[in-house]
Amino acid sequence: KVKLARHRKEIQEEFDLERDQTFGEMLEKHEKQIREERKRLTEDMRAKKLELQGEATTAADDEAELRRKLAAAEAEVATLRTDVEEAEQRANEVREEMSLKVREMQEQLSKSGESEDASADASAQIEQMRTRLAEQTTELWRLKAEKNDEIEQAVA
């Protein structure tokens, strides 16, 4: 009976030793897998972080470029608006000038009782001035329309 108990004890000790050895091996294998997985995930995170930093830098550069372009477009719009205002002012000045000249010519005709030839010459001059006024007015409106188109394109 003692022998049997001793034998049972030896077998139990052998079993415990083998169990501990197997558990240790499995634990070591499991820990190695965890370290490898942690290393892989860390490397993946670093790569993703670098990629995102690159994208952020690119986005910031793109935003800065767009802001520069916007500032340039706004400056161009301001210049074009100024040009349109100047063209309108010049058109008004020319219109007033021509109207004044036409009135002067008409007054000269009515005051001077000159012959029909002089009257015809004056009428021809008045007609030329009216034609010229109309042409200049048309040209100024065309320039204004072009400038407005340029402003709209710059704003777009």
Side-chain angles (χ1 to χ4, degrees):
K1 199 173 175 179
V2 173
K3 252 183 174 183
L4 186 59
R6 200 180 323 146
H7 183 62
R8 201 178 276 160
K9 187 178 176 184
E10 286 175 2
I11 288 177
Q12 186 64 37
E13 287 175 358
E14 200 176 298
F15 175 75
D16 288 345
L17 184 62
E18 195 172 308
R19 182 189 67 200
D20 290 346
Q21 188 178 14
T22 304
F23 181 74
E25 288 173 359
M26 287 177 62
L27 184 62
E28 188 177 312
K29 184 178 179 184
H30 180 68
E31 288 175 354
K32 182 180 178 186
Q33 287 176 341
I34 289 173
R35 283 190 305 270
E36 289 174 354
E37 185 67 16
R38 182 177 288 151
K39 182 180 177 183
R40 184 187 66 77
L41 289 173
T42 303
E43 289 174 1
D44 287 351
M45 289 295 285
R46 281 186 195 139
K48 188 68 172 175
K49 182 180 177 182
L50 289 173
E51 179 183 333
L52 290 174
Q53 284 175 341
E55 289 176 6
T57 302
T58 302
D61 292 345
D62 290 347
E63 182 181 354
E65 179 64 26
L66 288 174
R67 288 183 189 275
R68 282 190 293 273
K69 286 181 180 179
L70 176 62
E74 287 174 345
E76 185 176 350
V77 166
T79 302
L80 291 173
R81 283 191 176 136
T82 302
D83 290 349
V84 166
E85 289 171 2
E86 289 174 359
E88 286 176 344
Q89 185 179 4
R90 181 66 183 135
N92 289 336
E93 289 171 1
V94 168
R95 197 173 303 120
E96 288 175 16
E97 239 177 72
M98 289 300 179
S99 294
L100 185 62
K101 286 183 181 179
V102 166
R103 270 190 240 119
E104 287 175 2
M105 294 289 282
Q106 287 175 339
E107 286 175 9
Q108 285 177 357
L109 279 175
S110 63
K111 286 182 183 177
S112 68
E114 296 180 0
S115 67
E116 288 183 20
D117 289 339
S119 178
D121 284 342
S123 294
Q125 285 181 346
I126 289 172
E127 192 56 38
Q128 286 176 345
M129 292 178 94
R130 283 185 180 157
T131 304
R132 185 171 166 222
L133 175 62
E135 290 171 354
Q136 287 182 346
T137 302
T138 303
E139 178 65 16
L140 286 172
W141 283 109
R142 184 189 63 78
L143 289 172
K144 180 181 177 184
E146 285 179 10
K147 291 295 182 177
N148 284 335
D149 289 345
E150 289 177 20
I151 288 173
E152 288 175 12
Q153 288 174 356
V155 168

